[in-house]
Amino acid sequence: MPPRVLEPAFARLELTGHLKFPGGSWALTEAGRAESGKLARAWHDWLAERLADWGAGDRAGLDAAIGRVAARVLDQSADAERTGRHALV
């Protein structure tokens, strides 16, 4: 995504106290972490509901699989080692 798309969103999140830009990289504030947690739980529950018929009754297995996918996505995004205000573009 081009910076002109993401920059206003990041600026708004910074203005509302959900993000900060210390030392040249973005970081979630406590409020940002709380909202991020809500979003992650909602995504997890949505995905679990749609995959409920896979291995019915094995919620722990599904939770573990979702956790592995999320960790892999985060690991891959960290590999890019992008920094600065446009680190996510």
Side-chain angles (χ1 to χ4, degrees), residues 3-89:
R4 66 182 161 72
V5 173
L6 290 178
E7 197 167 68
F10 278 58
R12 179 73 177 163
L13 289 168
E14 188 175 25
L15 181 67
T16 59
H18 293 92
L19 280 177
K20 55 187 175 179
F21 194 69
S25 63
W26 290 107
L28 288 171
T29 64
E30 185 175 334
R33 283 189 296 278
E35 292 303 312
S36 178
K38 290 177 190 177
L39 181 61
R41 282 187 298 280
W43 175 78
H44 177 276
D45 292 346
W46 175 87
L47 187 57
E49 180 181 323
R50 272 134 193 90
L51 299 176
D53 60 337
W54 290 23
D58 186 14
R59 179 65 187 242
L62 179 59
D63 289 348
I66 292 172
R68 286 191 303 273
V69 169
R72 185 172 294 157
V73 167
L74 291 173
D75 286 345
Q76 288 174 354
S77 68
D79 288 344
E81 292 194 32
R82 295 181 177 183
T83 59
R85 287 185 101 62
H86 304 295
L88 298 178
V89 254

